[in-house]
């Protein structure tokens, strides 16, 4: 009976830990806040780069964010492109999509699949075109979800208001 109780307790503890998601490695939040303030939150980046050490985070003019891992690979690019109006963004952004249209429900499209060792999504955030690409590392379902979380975060960010 004691062994069964201990086993059940251990399984419940592991399920609780798994439900909490990926831990953000020490220092990652500081790298993001200094390198790409307001573009990427630490949580989705930790999911995308799980198993790799982020060594460098850099922004260009506050409109893009690049992330490198320890071995020098450039693994994430997030960029914002401003259009004069929301209507202009809605007209031009679909041209980047393989089918030439954005998915109606979330106004985004998959531009590259993970099969090509690159997963890229294009989407809209108001008058902004958002491009997010994960490359040179394996992309699992959780990493894809994290890419969509970055897009969602940008839609409610001060950067795209």
């Amino acid at each position: 009976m004691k062994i069964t109780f201990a086993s059940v307790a251990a399984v419940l503890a592991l399920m609780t830990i798994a439900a909490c998601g990926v831990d953000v490695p020490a220092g990652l939040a500081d790298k993001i806040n200094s390198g790409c303030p307001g573009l990427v939150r630490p949580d989705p980046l930790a999911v995308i780069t799980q198993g790799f050490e982020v060594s460098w985070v850099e922004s260009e003019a506050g409109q893009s964010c690049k992330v490198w891992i320890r071995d020098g690979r450039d693994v994430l690019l997030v960029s914002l492109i401003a259009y004069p109006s929301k209507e202009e963004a809605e007209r031009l952004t679909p041209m980047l999509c393989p089918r030439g249209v954005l998915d109606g429900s979330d106004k985004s499209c998959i531009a590259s699949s993970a099969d090509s060792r690159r997963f890229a999504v294009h989407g809209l955030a108001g008058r902004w075109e958002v491009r997010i690409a994960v490359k040179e590392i394996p992309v699992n379902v959780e990493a894809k979800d994290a890419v969509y979380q970055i897009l969602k975060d940008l839609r409610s960010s001060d950067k795209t208001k």
Side-chain angles (χ1 to χ4, degrees):
M1 184 81 167
K2 288 181 183 179
I3 293 173
T4 304
F5 180 76
S7 298
V8 170
V11 168
L12 288 174
L14 288 173
M15 287 173 51
T16 302
I17 291 169
C20 293
V22 173
D23 289 330
V24 175
L28 183 59
D30 292 337
K31 287 177 185 176
I32 292 171
N33 291 333
S34 66
C36 296
L39 283 171
V40 179
R41 289 185 315 105
D43 299 355
L45 182 57
V47 171
I48 292 168
T49 60
Q50 185 175 11
F52 297 97
E53 181 184 340
V54 173
S55 61
W56 187 257
V57 177
E58 177 183 86
S59 178
E60 293 179 15
Q63 306 304 330
S64 69
C65 182
K66 286 187 177 183
V67 177
W68 287 267
I69 57 175
R70 187 175 191 187
D71 66 5
R73 287 183 282 174
D74 174 8
V75 297
L76 177 70
L77 171 65
V78 177
S79 63
L80 296 173
I81 299 152
Y83 287 100
S85 68
K86 181 179 177 182
E87 294 75 24
E88 190 77 0
E90 288 174 348
R91 186 177 68 79
L92 295 174
T93 301
M95 292 179 191
L96 300 168
C97 301
R99 294 186 346 240
V101 295
L102 295 171
D103 185 28
S105 62
D106 72 353
K107 296 193 179 203
S108 69
C109 70
I110 296 175
S112 298
S113 71
D115 297 343
S116 64
R117 301 229 2 125
R118 176 181 168 91
F119 180 71
V121 171
H122 299 302
L124 291 173
R127 69 179 187 93
W128 297 85
E129 172 191 318
V130 179
R131 296 180 186 186
I132 305 168
V134 178
K135 51 193 174 180
E136 298 191 39
I137 58 174
V139 179
N140 59 23
V141 172
E142 292 82 14
K144 290 178 184 179
D145 290 344
V147 166
Y148 284 104
Q149 183 62 51
I150 291 171
L151 178 59
K152 182 180 175 184
D153 292 344
L154 284 169
R155 287 180 174 149
S156 61
S157 166
D158 289 341
K159 289 276 187 187
T160 59
K161 299 293 177 205

